[in-house]
Amino acid sequence: MIQPYDDTYFMKQALQEAQLAAEEGEVPVGAVVVCNNRILARAHNQTERLNDVTAHAEMLAITAATNVLGAKYLTGCTLYVTVEPCVMCAGAIGWAQLAAVVYGAPDAKRGFTRYAPQALHPKTVVRQGVMETECAEAMQRFFQERR
């Protein structure tokens, strides 16, 4: 049976957000929050635009999703993000009690798995490497163009 809404589909949506970030001169990280195969929120990095170091794609997507649901917890929801979340975002993911986090490219320098692997809620499932090549290439292109 073909599943039109799978991890690849939703990661492509997050990659579209990452592209928007790159077009705005932001580090190209995109995120979507999904519940019952429905995208509740989309976001991309806006640290430059908002002059706010906390305006990461994950943080903005979590805030938007909780506003849509009218609740502070996102149990039963999945966050798709193009790059492994940082420690700050992992903390927010943990507090929001997301059911799952799916990310594309690892972040060896700032990723939560290196510095705070216990930051997520104990029940949160992590799936990594979804469209890893495409996600990593988006980051590489962005930084190569700035050098």
Side-chain angles (χ1 to χ4, degrees):
M1 181 168 142
I2 296 174
Q3 283 193 332
Y5 303 114
D6 60 4
D7 285 350
T8 300
Y9 173 83
F10 290 118
M11 188 60 72
K12 286 180 182 177
Q13 301 301 306
L15 271 167
Q16 288 177 0
E17 286 295 318
Q19 179 60 39
L20 292 173
E23 291 169 7
E24 296 171 9
E26 301 277 358
V27 174
V29 177
V32 295
V33 175
V34 175
C35 197
N36 297 322
N37 285 328
R38 180 175 156 238
I39 296 175
L40 299 180
R42 300 170 171 270
H44 56 271
N45 276 3
Q46 293 188 37
T47 59
E48 299 298 325
R49 171 191 273 176
L50 300 177
N51 198 31
D52 179 356
V53 297
T54 69
H56 290 193
E58 302 95 320
M59 302 292 279
L60 298 172
I62 288 168
T63 298
T66 58
N67 287 333
V68 168
L69 291 178
K72 65 181 177 179
Y73 298 117
L74 297 173
T75 54
C77 297
T78 299
L79 173 73
Y80 290 86
V81 61
T82 56
V83 177
E84 177 185 352
C86 70
V87 173
M88 173 186 69
C89 292
I93 291 164
W95 284 110
Q97 298 183 18
L98 279 145
V101 175
V102 180
Y103 67 86
D107 185 347
K109 291 182 183 176
R110 297 183 186 263
F112 82 95
T113 57
R114 177 177 179 185
Y115 296 105
Q118 305 294 318
L120 303 181
H121 189 275
K123 293 181 181 178
T124 301
V125 174
V126 177
R127 294 189 298 277
Q128 58 190 9
V130 175
M131 297 186 69
E132 180 176 348
T133 301
E134 295 87 341
C135 293
E137 285 174 354
M139 292 291 280
Q140 291 164 352
R141 259 191 321 274
F142 177 81
F143 287 109
Q144 283 173 350
E145 290 172 2
R146 271 139 191 83
R147 289 188 182 126

